[in-house]
Amino acid sequence: MKKGIFVSCSAGNSGPSNTTLSNEAPWLLTVGASTIDRKVVATAKLGNGEELGGESVFQPSDFPSMLLPIVYAGMNGKPESALCGEGSLKDIDVKGNVVLCERGGGIARIAKGQEVKNAGGAAMILLNEEVDGFSVEADVHVLPATHVSYAAGLKIKAYINSTAAPTATILFRGTIIGDPSSPFVASFSSRGPSLASPGILKPDIIGPGVNILAAWPFPLNNNTNQNPLSI
């Protein structure tokens, strides 16, 4: 600042609780993370006809639109199974099924899909924790998958419990521009006010910070035999 250089810093990724931000000095421009108006859509379609929006960068062109059996990974009452942690589905028959997994537990989102794939699942629907609300991530999943909001997850659970033979599928609809709900602050974006001085209101602004596409070293169809350069 003394040299006339403008300094902009990230608020951090420790939200959504209050006073979790970093870089709170008043002479810094502190930037929170927001969504953008582009979505890479993967819609969860239930057997009752209801469609619930989600996202996934992995958009397989050969995934059938036919309805498949859907199971909740936590149907055995074990929290570790609901979270689809490593080895947690070995005692649950999910072969050929769409599997509903819960976000969280310190387990990476893509790792949850890997567990479903290892157990023979056909696809995964990943539902948010309540604290994450409507903030979903478009990931490069290892199997057909979609990440849906907490509210959508509750609807899926209610549907599964409402019928003896629940079914679902995922409809991959590619990139859509013009999401009217954007921008909104991402759940992970750190919040103010300043812990050192609560009178300092931070962040100052928000900027695009969710599902920003960049170079990726692997093909998005998970084919390891292709040229490893993917943009």
Side-chain angles (χ1 to χ4, degrees), residues 1-230:
M1 293 295 292
K2 289 182 179 179
K3 299 294 184 180
I5 299 173
F6 174 77
V7 181
S8 175
C9 297
S10 167
N13 296 335
S14 301
S17 298
N18 293 335
T19 65
T20 53
L21 61 77
S22 303
N23 303 311
E24 63 221 64
W27 51 86
L28 301 174
L29 182 74
T30 308
V31 185
S34 76
T35 61
I36 57 178
D37 70 346
R38 184 203 65 232
K39 286 190 172 183
V40 190
V41 178
T43 301
K45 182 178 180 179
L46 307 181
N48 61 4
E50 187 168 12
E51 295 188 5
L52 302 163
E55 292 196 60
S56 172
V57 169
F58 180 41
Q59 298 266 317
S61 59
D62 58 348
F63 187 69
S65 59
M66 60 180 285
L67 294 168
L68 300 171
I70 180 172
V71 297
Y72 172 47
M75 62 183 178
N76 60 3
K78 296 180 180 179
E80 60 271 24
S81 296
L83 293 168
C84 295
E86 184 178 359
S88 64
L89 301 180
K90 60 184 179 181
D91 296 325
I92 304 174
D93 184 12
V94 300
K95 291 182 179 179
N97 292 356
V98 177
V99 182
L100 180 65
C101 298
E102 297 194 17
R103 185 179 183 177
I107 305 165
R109 297 182 299 273
I110 293 176
K112 294 173 185 285
Q114 186 65 59
E115 173 62 17
V116 172
K117 184 176 182 180
N118 291 344
M124 176 183 71
I125 299 176
L126 180 64
L127 66 93
N128 263 350
E129 297 177 278
E130 184 173 9
V131 70
D132 291 309
F134 290 91
S135 290
V136 299
E137 312 289 339
D139 288 313
V140 185
H141 289 285
V142 298
L143 81 172
T146 184
H147 184 180
V148 301
S149 70
Y150 175 72
L154 292 180
K155 291 181 179 180
I156 297 172
K157 283 184 176 180
Y159 164 68
I160 291 175
N161 292 330
S162 71
T163 177
T167 57
T169 190
I170 301 175
L171 307 176
F172 296 95
R173 291 173 166 157
T175 300
I176 295 179
I177 305 293
D179 177 18
S181 66
S182 294
F184 64 83
V185 180
S187 65
F188 62 78
S189 185
S190 294
R191 266 63 166 180
S194 167
L195 186 60
S197 179
I200 299 175
L201 300 181
K202 292 278 185 173
D204 299 296
I205 62 172
I206 55 174
V210 179
N211 297 335
I212 306 303
L213 301 182
W216 182 256
F218 307 105
L220 296 187
N221 63 1
N222 298 306
N223 184 346
T224 57
N225 293 321
Q226 292 183 2
N227 189 313
L229 297 179
S230 180

